[in-house]
Amino acid sequence: MSGPAAHPASGDEDRVRLIQRALAAAGLDALVCALPSNVLLLAGYWPVVGTSVAVATRDGAVGLAVPEDERELAAAGWADPLETFAPSSLAELPPLARSLQPALGRVLRQLGLGRGRIGYEHGPCLEPSSYAGTNRFIVALPDLLAEACPQAAPTPADDVLLDLRAVLTPRELAGVRAACRVAEDAFRAGARSIVPGASEREVAATFRAALAASADAQEHGGARAGGFLFCMSGADAALADRAYARSRGRRIEPGDAVLVHCNSYVDGLWTDITRTYHPGEADDRARDRFEAVLEARRAGLAAVAPGVPAREVDRAARDVLVRRGFGAAFRHGLGHGVGFAAIDHNARPRLHPASDDILAPGMVFNLEPAVYLEGVAGIRHCDVVALHAEGPELLTPFQAGLGDLAPWLGVAR
């Protein structure tokens, strides 16, 4: 195989080197990806409608085939060559794959990929939304490769991609930090709306408006920023361990715990953050639940270090909840990788009792100890943590005590 070994100076040198090492270890000559989060991983550009394809080679070169109207966004990454195509015109309505194939073929030829083992996305995945409607090639990708590069050997590379996504570069971590700041602004401003009588939808709308205002400030700097935000209160919050959050019309009552969940993003790098508030006077049972979750949070964070098995971090937090009588009410793992996706329980590292992952510098993940009591309440505190060689960095240190979350409970007994 031959092809350019250089890439634009504005690129992420750390990411390119990580890709090169991963390809060499897997015996692959290149990776070809179409999922927007993986295009971001390979080329530093987060596609809008999911019709772009990125190619990264073992030589360190990166190419892109993108729709013409995303050229400006794609140019912010480090791909060279960058080929464009028109998905359709007034003259015809061709299948998308047929419109893309010539541009992809040009990219592969310029990168010298006439043959060899080319890794691609294969299995099921959880992909964050970059737009209201996005294309997913998935099963069509091997056919695209076969047409554009008939002498190559397409090879599923999901494990390679999972490992690559598990470790963020300093450039990528900066994006997660920015997304955490967007969320923090929303939590600080929105918390004032949590009062008895307000509905979950009204609270969520207030938080969402604050999120949009903070995202707008990011966008003035050229970023694409935004996110999703939900509120669940009282017995509704006990349902927050399910696969999705949902704000309803239920009105907050004085004794309710109010759980607010946020997934913010900046340029395709995501967060996973939850805070639970108690706006009114409460009894000792509510205090016990809050204190148990916050103690589990501290125990989990204290266990985080390079080389530690992820399941040991889960155990540190879980043991607290078991000791305090809430073990059965903590119904999911302590956390999972965060960055290229917001909520993906397969993202490394998986902080779970059955996980065999080992924590390493560069990993970014959430810690989300929780107590869910059916028909009563749900309390979850979800932080984002970055791991460095010297230890963990808490990216979401705000609203971390009873004084911020539950003023009535914060008063000493």
Side-chain angles (χ1 to χ4, degrees):
M1 190 190 89
S2 64
H7 46 279
S10 61
D12 189 335
E13 301 281 345
D14 296 310
R15 174 51 65 195
V16 172
R17 281 194 292 270
L18 287 169
I19 292 170
Q20 286 183 276
R21 287 202 292 267
L23 291 174
L28 294 173
D29 296 296
L31 275 172
V32 176
C33 293
L35 288 173
S37 60
N38 283 336
V39 173
L40 173 64
L41 175 82
L42 299 188
Y45 141 67
W46 190 36
V48 178
V49 296
T51 57
S52 302
V53 176
V55 184
T57 76
R58 199 195 302 192
D59 292 334
V62 179
L64 273 173
V66 305
E68 289 175 352
D69 51 6
E70 293 192 33
R71 174 192 280 274
E72 182 180 356
L73 292 173
W78 52 82
D80 183 17
L82 195 163
E83 295 285 341
T84 63
F85 64 94
S88 64
S89 71
L90 290 176
E92 61 174 343
L93 283 171
L96 176 60
R98 195 175 85 196
S99 298
L100 166 67
Q101 197 275 334
L104 178 59
R106 293 193 298 272
V107 169
L108 292 169
R109 286 193 295 275
Q110 290 176 71
L111 295 178
L113 291 170
R115 62 182 70 244
R117 296 182 73 233
I118 299 180
Y120 69 93
E121 305 152 337
H122 175 261
C125 62
L126 191 65
E127 177 71 9
S129 297
S130 50
Y131 196 62
T134 52
N135 179 72
R136 298 288 185 265
F137 284 106
I138 305 295
V139 295
L141 204 52
D143 293 336
L144 276 168
L145 282 171
E147 290 218 16
C149 197
Q151 291 184 294
T155 304
D158 292 336
D159 287 342
V160 174
L161 288 164
L162 279 172
D163 288 342
L164 281 169
R165 291 163 65 108
V167 173
L168 271 60
T169 67
R171 174 180 175 141
E172 292 157 355
L173 178 56
V176 177
R177 282 200 186 97
C180 287
R181 290 194 296 271
V182 168
E184 179 177 355
D185 290 344
F187 277 101
R188 290 191 183 281
R192 293 189 290 270
S193 69
I194 301 176
V195 295
S199 75
E200 293 175 5
R201 291 195 182 101
E202 289 166 349
V203 170
T206 302
F207 273 77
R208 203 172 292 119
L211 183 75
S214 184
D216 185 58
Q218 286 283 344
E219 288 171 357
H220 285 308
R224 290 158 59 199
F228 297 86
L229 206 143
F230 304 92
C231 173
M232 304 173 77
S233 66
D236 286 354
L239 307 176
D241 65 322
R242 299 185 181 184
Y244 61 91
R246 178 184 168 196
S247 303
R248 298 168 172 83
R250 182 185 185 279
R251 296 202 173 274
I252 297 168
E253 298 178 6
D256 285 343
V258 182
L259 187 152
V260 177
H261 175 78
C262 177
N263 298 116
S264 57
Y265 67 81
V266 170
D267 284 337
L269 279 306
W270 290 80
T271 71
D272 190 16
I273 304 168
T274 306
R275 295 291 184 266
T276 305
Y277 305 89
H278 206 298
E281 194 167 358
D283 57 24
D284 285 346
R285 290 173 297 178
R287 182 192 299 272
D288 288 343
R289 293 191 288 266
F290 268 91
E291 289 180 344
V293 168
L294 293 178
E295 183 183 348
R297 169 189 183 263
R298 293 190 295 271
L301 188 60
V304 171
V308 171
R311 64 177 175 272
E312 294 300 330
V313 182
D314 178 279
R315 180 183 300 168
R318 195 171 300 276
D319 283 351
V320 170
L321 294 172
V322 169
R323 175 172 51 81
R324 298 192 63 139
F326 297 111
F330 183 29
R331 299 194 290 259
H332 53 66
L334 182 65
H336 50 77
V338 173
F340 289 100
I343 303 173
D344 182 354
H345 295 280
N346 290 316
R348 278 40 167 183
R350 297 158 298 177
L351 281 66
H352 185 279
S355 175
D356 58 1
D357 299 335
I358 304 296
L359 299 189
M363 288 181 166
V364 178
F365 46 90
N366 66 341
L367 295 178
E368 49 180 341
V371 168
Y372 307 103
L373 299 175
E374 291 290 337
V376 179
I379 299 172
R380 182 170 71 226
H381 194 97
C382 182
D383 285 309
V384 180
V385 177
L387 183 57
H388 307 286
E390 61 275 17
E393 174 191 359
L394 182 61
L395 303 181
T396 51
F398 59 90
Q399 296 177 341
L402 286 179
D404 295 317
L405 301 169
W408 284 99
L409 298 177
V411 178
R413 282 182 280 193

